[in-house]
Amino acid sequence: MKRYKIILGALIAVSSIIISCKSSEETSKGIRRGERKSISAIFSEMDVNNDGKLSKNETKGPLAKDFSKIDTNNDGFISKEELENAPKPERNRRPRN
């Protein structure tokens, strides 16, 4: 039983450290819960080949889902300007009581 308590305590300590590091990492990047990433941050994360534009293969999430809506000149790429002018994705909101 004593060994079980020691293992449980160690797991809780490690979990707390991991959660704390994740929160401080997000804050140091300027991203807070519920806050959207900047266009520069999106491009630096997704633009794998560093060509300054996003192809369909490089995008993910809502950006990939709405790729054709955002790619207004239909060249097969999303530029920073197109992303700036893109409609914001709809959020699932909970109804208020």
Side-chain angles (χ1 to χ4, degrees), residues 40-67:
S40 297
I42 291 170
F43 265 78
S44 65
E45 181 181 313
M46 290 189 190
D47 188 14
V48 178
N49 60 2
N50 296 315
D51 63 352
K53 52 191 176 182
L54 299 175
S55 68
K56 178 84 170 164
N57 294 337
E58 292 176 313
T59 58
K60 56 188 173 188
L63 201 57
K65 180 182 170 195
D66 295 331
F67 190 89

Side-chain angles (χ1 to χ4, degrees), residues 19-38:
I19 291 169
S20 174
C21 291
K22 176 96 172 130
S23 297
S24 65
E25 177 186 348
E26 289 175 353
T27 303
S28 68
K29 289 181 179 178
I31 302 169
R32 296 188 182 149
R33 190 175 195 148
E35 192 174 299
R36 294 185 183 193
K37 293 182 182 179
S38 70

